[in-house]
Amino acid sequence: MNKYLSILFLLVSSVVTAQSQDSIVMSFNEYLGYVKKFHPIAKQADLTIQIGQANLMKARGGFDPKIEVDNIRKKFKTTEYYDQLNATFKIPTWYGIELKGNFEQNTGDFLNPASFVPDDGLYSAGISASLGEGLFINERMADLKKAKFFKEQTAADREILINQILYDASVAYFNWLQAYNETKTFESFLENARMRFQGIKRSAEAGDKAAIDTLEAKITVKNRALGLEKTKVKLMKASLELSTFLWLNDNIPVELQPNVIPDAFLEDTVDNVLEISGLPLTDFVLENHPKLRSLGFKYEGLEVDKRLKANKLLPTIDIQYNFLTERADIARSFNTAEYKGGFNIAFPLFLRKERGDLRLAKFKLQDLQFEIDNARITIQNKVLAIYRELESFERQNLLLSEIVTDYGTLLSAEERKFKFGESSIFLINSREKSLIDSQLKAIDLQNKYLKAKAKLFNSLSRDLQNL
């Protein structure tokens, strides 16, 4: 326990003295800061960015220059049948064009006549290109474009993942605050019940009160103690739930200690922490939502895939031209009359595979468009509903606050009447029970109000920049 306590003191860097000297307050802002920095899910979300960057690097590799060296030799007994060396340097470019330099040297007694070259070898430089399929878009170009869109998509997905873990952590903190406030409420009323019981007991012993009042006051003490035990169990569960979000570096979990308490004035700071302060509904820009941005980049990637499939309907027309020279200084020995070249043409007669692939690509785009339309209206209505819910909670909080004050006034008046013998312990308990119920309702309403703010933060899918 001492180990975890020391860890917790490292976690909570700025603490304030609370109800007792040993109590420390863990602020909501600091709590979310550690969740975002150290929680495994938050770290996992950061991996999506690295995955997008790695995918982009892989796609760019399709345009990397390449060196190829082939050497084939056959020698048996004293006869060298052939010794063929072919070294090539290739540079892929954007529009289906490939630049190539080559050196070829072949010797041997049984060479194919087409392989005869000068003794010092033969140099060549040239170009190969696709004039039909693959000219304006090919696999390399499509992979690179899709990788760029995927990189942007992973950035939007990371915001969504970070937002979700911060939302879940916020709900756990609000539940912890609710359980803590309920526990403090029952502790306060238990103390009042005990003091009342002792006073009635002394009055009964002096003959000023009926003995039956002592029994009723004692029952009240037990009922308050029972309610306190129930809230303690709830607080324990809420503390354990909160602990699942508390981590330190090197994946060290933190155990929440009993002397750590939540911020009692959270309502004053929650808007700033969740960065929803001063954010009216009119400022909400739907197209900036990370979910729609992610789907938009996904749509762009499928659009590239559709263009690639449409390009495959064109005939394959591959040409190449390489001029030949015996000298290594190719630029000075260029002669168009000495060359090696050719072309290749292919065209499927029915194009059933290509037309089927194109149709499937169009269906994928249409399906994603339906998803985007649905997501847009869902997000819009969800945000609108939460704004309306928050407005209602503000009115409810005001009304319930007045109800709690009025019940407190009734209880105080009933206690004064009891001192003058004009009331009974039954009426006091009834007034007090109504006050307790109203305070518990107020605590529950506060929890719902805070959760509604967290739902607004979650529905916007924003990352917190000020943690």
Side-chain angles (χ1 to χ4, degrees), residues 287-298:
E287 300 305 324
N288 291 338
H289 195 279
K291 176 67 173 178
L292 294 180
R293 295 206 328 265
S294 175
L295 292 175
F297 289 125
K298 184 179 179 181

Side-chain angles (χ1 to χ4, degrees), residues 17 80 150 153 163 166 214 218 245 250 255 278 280-281 303 314 318 356 383 390 449 462-463:
T17 304
E80 184 181 77
F150 180 72
Q153 181 183 344
N163 177 274
L166 292 177
T214 305
K218 186 176 181 181
F245 294 96
D250 299 325
E255 180 182 344
L281 183 60
E303 187 71 36
L314 299 175
D318 295 332
V383 171
L390 286 171
Y449 181 55
R462 291 183 171 182
D463 186 9

Side-chain angles (χ1 to χ4, degrees), residues 80-322:
E80 184 181 77
Y81 285 75
Y82 52 81
D83 186 354
Q84 296 177 290
L85 174 65
N86 194 316
T88 305
F89 179 65
K90 299 179 180 179
I91 304 177
T93 61
W94 185 250
Y95 286 108
I97 299 173
E98 187 174 74
L99 305 178
K100 182 169 64 174
N102 181 266
F103 174 73
E104 184 178 3
Q105 188 176 41
N106 304 318
T107 60
D109 297 334
F110 297 95
L111 280 177
N112 187 317
S115 299
F116 287 151
V117 296
D119 293 340
D120 293 332
L122 185 66
Y123 297 90
S124 66
I127 186 173
S128 63
S130 298
L131 301 182
E133 177 189 333
L135 176 60
F136 297 107
I137 186 169
N138 53 42
E139 295 286 350
R140 288 197 304 259
M141 296 164 60
D143 287 344
L144 182 55
K145 287 184 177 181
K146 289 191 291 186
K148 290 180 178 179
F149 289 130
F150 180 72
K151 180 176 178 291
E152 298 297 329
Q153 181 183 344
T154 56
D157 290 341
R158 175 192 174 275
E159 288 187 44
I160 297 173
L161 291 173
I162 291 291
N163 177 274
Q164 185 61 43
I165 188 62
L166 292 177
Y167 167 74
D168 294 338
S170 299
V171 171
Y173 189 95
F174 300 154
N175 289 337
W176 180 46
L177 174 63
Q178 179 186 15
Y180 173 80
N181 287 335
E182 290 178 354
T183 301
K184 289 302 175 183
T185 297
F186 274 99
E187 285 179 351
S188 175
F189 282 102
L190 175 60
E191 182 63 25
N192 291 342
R194 285 173 175 168
M195 293 175 61
R196 188 182 303 118
F197 168 69
Q198 294 298 330
I200 292 175
K201 183 178 180 182
R202 288 191 295 269
S203 297
E205 290 173 351
D208 295 334
K209 299 292 182 182
I212 195 65
D213 288 342
T214 305
L215 178 60
E216 187 164 354
K218 186 176 181 181
I219 292 174
T220 301
V221 171
K222 292 180 178 180
N223 281 330
R224 301 293 180 264
L226 180 61
L228 178 60
E229 286 301 316
K230 290 180 179 179
T231 58
K232 283 183 177 179
V233 173
K234 185 177 180 179
L235 178 60
M236 179 268 295
K237 291 181 178 179
S239 300
L240 290 176
E241 181 184 0
L242 188 79
S243 296
T244 61
F245 294 96
L246 290 176
W247 296 74
L248 289 181
N249 206 4
D250 299 325
N251 295 329
I252 300 176
V254 176
E255 180 182 344
L256 190 68
Q257 298 300 304
N259 63 325
V260 180
I261 62 175
D263 183 6
F265 304 99
L266 178 58
E267 284 191 40
D268 298 334
T269 60
V270 63
D271 285 357
N272 291 329
V273 174
L274 295 180
E275 298 177 11
I276 57 175
S277 178
L279 186 65
L281 183 60
T282 53
D283 289 351
F284 173 59
V285 181
L286 187 62
E287 300 305 324
N288 291 338
H289 195 279
K291 176 67 173 178
L292 294 180
R293 295 206 328 265
S294 175
L295 292 175
F297 289 125
K298 184 179 179 181
Y299 187 91
E300 295 289 346
L302 290 180
E303 187 71 36
V304 171
D305 196 53
K306 189 198 78 169
R307 288 179 54 201
L308 179 63
K309 296 296 190 296
N311 184 260
K312 291 184 180 296
L313 296 176
L314 299 175
T316 299
I317 305 175
D318 295 332
I319 64 170
Q320 60 173 320
Y321 171 82
N322 300 274

